[in-house]
Structure formats: C-alpha cells, structure tokens
Amino acid sequence: ETGVTQSPTHLIKTRGQQVTLRCSSQSGHNTVSWYQQALGQGPQFIFQYYREEENGRGNFPPRFSGLQFPNYSSELNVNALELDDSALYLCASSLEQFEAFFGQGTRLTVV
Amino acid sequence: AQRVTQPEKLLSVFKGAPVELKCNYSYSGSPELFWYVQYSRQRLQLLLRHISRESIKGFTADLNKGETSFHLKKPFAQEEDSAMYYCALSRSGYNKLIFGAGTRLAVHP
C-alpha cells in the first residue's frame, strides 16, 4: 500500500504566473482534500474532491481551482499568483469519512 | 465563526514533567475534535480523535463542551514527544478540518 505523494516538493514562481500542484492519493482512497499552510500557521482548508466532484470549499478565491481524476489523484491549480500564496500546500486522502492521511507537502515560493 | 485557538506557540518542559497543550474551539453545533502531530521531518499525522476516547503514546484529551476545550495531556513527557501539535475540528469525520495555529512542544533531558 502506497502513501500519499505530492509533487513537486519545492518550486519557485513569479508573481502573476500560474502553478499546478499534484497529489497521488493512497491506494483505495476516493477523497482528496487540499490545505494551505502559511509559515507559523496551521493548515487552512482549501477544498475537497470526492469521486471527481468538488465537495466543499474553504474561504479561498476562485483563482484556486482543482481537479480529481478517475484514479482519484488530484491537482491544485492557482492562477495569477500573489506573494501571499507562498506557503506549504498539503493534500490529504481518505476513504469517504474515514481517517485522512497527509502527504509531505509542496513548498511554493512566489517572488 | 468556526475557530480553533491554541494559545501557546511554544511549550517547554523537562523530561518526566506533566504536559498540557491547550485547545479551545468556537463552533455552532457539535463538532468532532482531533489532535494531529508533526514530528521533525515527518508528515502530519493523526494522534487522537475525541470520539475514540483512546490513549495514544500516553496522551489523552477530554472534550469539555461547557468550556469548549479539548486539551491534550500526558502525565510524564518523553524527549520523543518533542513535535508540533495541532488541534483541529470538523463538522463530521476527518474531512474539511479546521486547524489551530499549533503548539511546539519541546521536551528537554
């Protein structure tokens, strides 16, 4: 059984650019949640995908969007990057409402 | 507003001392409460959930609905307990978690 993997682990983008982060969910899991963790803060819920449909969204603007694929892997897309988007982005996968397992995160730096 | 507050950014204790990491929450309804832990260079992982009422690695947490608190306790801290601890809540299950800012626990020899 493989765990949750995220790619890339680090990346640097310029303000105004677009970025795509990827998450491979744990085997057998059909739900993926994305979180943003700014420095010194706890993770903040962005949105969740369940069986390829968005299933709840936190207080993030529409330039944060996502996808979930038939194999339940997921992408987080952020358009028009701002400096404040610099953070650690975490994904967590679960089977339905059971325990969610986190990935190691992608560290995004916007300059 | 739904909110989780962890008032201490850092808690520093000596090995063998009791530990209490504070967590207060604001939520309209009956949330589920969790403690997550992140050890150095490891990913965030579940420590315990209030519904299960388990003791994990010697840690316990009791949900006090009157005080809207879910403090994490351990009678005798160990050096390996040093980590970042996050309190979190959800409306139901493990999804759409609302996290506190976290408390760093440092256990000194």
Side-chain angles (χ1 to χ4, degrees), chain B residues 7-8 10-11 13-14 17 19-20 25 29 36-37 44 46 62-63 74 77 81 83 87 89-90 99 101 104 109:
Chain B
E8 303 139 328
L10 172 65
L11 185 62
V13 302
F14 287 103
V19 168
E20 182 179 50
Y25 66 91
Y36 279 80
V37 61
L44 196 61
L46 177 69
D62 289 321
L63 179 60
K74 184 169 183 176
D81 296 329
C87 182
L89 67 78
S90 78
F99 285 88
R104 179 167 298 283

Side-chain angles (χ1 to χ4, degrees), chain A residues 86-100:
Chain A
S86 295
L88 180 68
Y89 288 85
L90 298 169
C91 81
S93 77
S94 66
L95 173 62
E96 312 283 338
Q97 296 289 315
F98 294 101
E99 182 177 350

Side-chain angles (χ1 to χ4, degrees), chain B residues 82-95:
Chain B
S82 296
M84 198 71 190
Y85 291 81
Y86 295 96
C87 182
L89 67 78
S90 78
R91 184 176 65 184
S92 152
Y94 292 92
N95 298 309

Side-chain angles (χ1 to χ4, degrees), chain A residues 4 35 37 40-43 45 48 55-56 94 96-100 102-104, chain B residues 9 36 38 43-46 49 86 92-102:
Chain A
V4 180
Y35 294 84
Q37 187 173 17
Q41 300 297 317
F45 175 70
Q48 180 184 89
N55 182 40
S94 66
E96 312 283 338
Q97 296 289 315
F98 294 101
E99 182 177 350
F102 283 82
Q104 82 283 7
Chain B
K9 284 195 174 296
Y36 279 80
Q38 188 166 29
R43 58 190 65 193
L44 196 61
Q45 59 185 283
L46 177 69
R49 179 183 182 188
Y86 295 96
S92 152
Y94 292 92
N95 298 309
K96 307 172 191 176
L97 296 164
I98 297 172
F99 285 88

Side-chain angles (χ1 to χ4, degrees), chain A residues 63-83:
Chain A
R63 59 189 185 85
F64 285 78
S65 63
L67 281 173
Q68 187 179 31
F69 300 99
N71 67 354
Y72 301 129
S73 66
S74 178
E75 286 183 353
L76 164 66
N77 298 290
V78 187
N79 293 322
L81 283 166
E82 300 177 0
L83 297 179

